[in-house]
Structure formats: structure tokens, C-alpha cells
Amino acid sequence: MTRLIEHVQRRGRRETPATDLGRSGTASDKLGLEEIAAVCRTLIASGLETAVCLIGNAIAALAARPDQWKTLRTAPHLAAKAVNEVLRFDPPRQFLLRTASEQAEVAGHALPPHSRVLVMLAAAHRDPHRFPDPARFDLARSARPSHLTADGAMELEISLARLVGEIALWALASRLPQLRPVGRAVRRPGGAVSGFTHLPFRASATA
């Protein structure tokens, strides 16, 4: 990907600035090759990390709850619901930092413009007023009310994680139905992405 970006940059330097303008002489609203390549590199670097953590969090939750794993094993098409519940129960992205663009009020507290706000997604997803029995991992949980997800650039990461996670869980449930932990799981140290550094388990097609 780095070589691709360098190639696009070299080509861009050989071209005239006029190639970046539309027919009307104004800047085009389309992404250039360099921008697309840069987005892809960011997505690969951070998006796959989010996907790996999502899969690990899902496996840990399912392995600890044989009844939920049996539900998914019996109906692999529920993989999308499993991913959605993992994003609520143990999301890779547990918080977001945002800046208020204008005067706002949150829970009775005034926020002046440019105030920085730490949005704790994981805490919001355990709100008992919004999610009944929030500490329970439940594939049958209704999709309404919906939970919070990352936005902006992180939305690409979560979209990739959703897709990869759904495929991984569907494959595990349909092809390797025997899933059980075989050692002590170790959580990653605190950071922007929550997951595991060590998650030993055994998956097989037979008992």
C-alpha cells in the first residue's frame, strides 16, 4: 500500500494542477487516487485491528456462555446479530473523544463551544434504562433501541469489523461447532481499542 501511494504521488507531481479541476474549473468533489490509497492504508492498519479485537471479544463471550454458542451453532445466520450484540456488550472501541461545535447541554451541564467531551460508548451500552439486563450477553436481544457506534473515520473501521466478524463467526459456527476455552485469557492493557493479547481456545468439527 505504501508503494502504491508513492507511485500515485510521483504521478501526481508529473501532472498539471488542471487535472484536479472539474470542467467548470472548480475543485472536483471526487476522491483522488492518492486519497483513496491513503484511506485504504488507514483502514488496513487500524480497521483490521478493530476487526481482530471484535472477533476475539465475540469468541470470549460465546465460549463463556455455552447456551449462546449453541444458539449460534444451530443458526449460523445469526452471526450478524452476534456481532451487533458484541458491539454493545464488549465493543472494541469503548470511547470516543468529541469537540462541541456550539453551545450545548448534556445531563443538565452546560458545554461551551469547543469543549472536549469523552463519550463512553461501553458505559452507555450498559445503561439499564435503555437495555434490560445490560450485563447479559443475549443473541435474542432486540435491535431496538439501537446502541451507539463510532462515526466519522471510525465508521469505516466498524463497518470492516462488522463484515469480517460476521464472516468469522458464521464460519466458526457452521464448520467448527465445538468451541471451548483451554487456558487463561489475557486482556490488552488500556488503550483506544479493547481486546485480548492471549485468548486460547479450541475449535473443532467434532467433540
Side-chain angles (χ1 to χ4, degrees), residues 13-195:
R13 286 193 291 267
R14 291 196 301 267
E15 295 176 349
T16 62
T19 58
D20 294 328
L21 301 178
R23 292 181 179 180
S24 63
T26 60
S28 172
D29 59 355
K30 294 182 179 179
L31 289 175
L33 287 177
E34 184 176 347
E35 294 170 306
I36 293 173
V39 168
C40 289
R41 181 171 63 179
T42 300
L43 186 59
I44 290 171
S46 57
L48 288 183
E49 180 186 27
T50 302
V52 167
C53 289
L54 172 62
I55 294 170
N57 294 353
I59 291 173
L62 290 166
R65 298 163 180 80
D67 60 321
Q68 296 298 298
W69 175 242
K70 182 179 179 180
T71 298
L72 182 60
R73 186 180 63 197
T74 304
H77 65 275
L78 293 177
K81 291 199 68 173
V83 167
N84 204 51
E85 177 66 349
V86 171
L87 286 172
R88 183 201 69 82
F89 181 80
D90 190 9
R93 290 286 182 182
Q94 302 226 331
F95 60 86
L96 295 172
L97 185 61
R98 289 293 179 264
T99 302
S101 59
E102 58 186 33
Q103 180 78 26
E105 182 177 317
V106 177
H109 297 278
L111 295 178
H114 310 300
S115 297
R116 305 199 78 185
V117 180
L118 188 65
V119 183
M120 300 302 297
L121 300 177
H125 296 162
R126 298 297 182 97
D127 182 356
H129 297 292
R130 193 165 180 82
F131 300 97
D133 197 3
R136 185 183 78 249
F137 183 86
D138 187 5
L139 295 183
R141 189 179 298 276
S142 171
R144 296 288 183 267
S146 61
H147 54 270
L148 300 174
T149 56
D151 60 359
M154 289 184 185
E155 190 172 359
L156 282 175
E157 297 180 21
I158 297 300
S159 295
L160 175 62
R162 280 181 181 276
L163 176 61
V164 175
E166 183 178 344
I167 293 171
L169 293 181
W170 184 92
L172 277 173
S174 58
R175 300 182 185 181
L176 301 171
Q178 300 302 322
L179 177 69
R180 57 183 180 274
V182 293
R184 186 174 68 91
V186 179
R187 279 277 183 182
R188 290 171 53 138
V193 182
S194 174

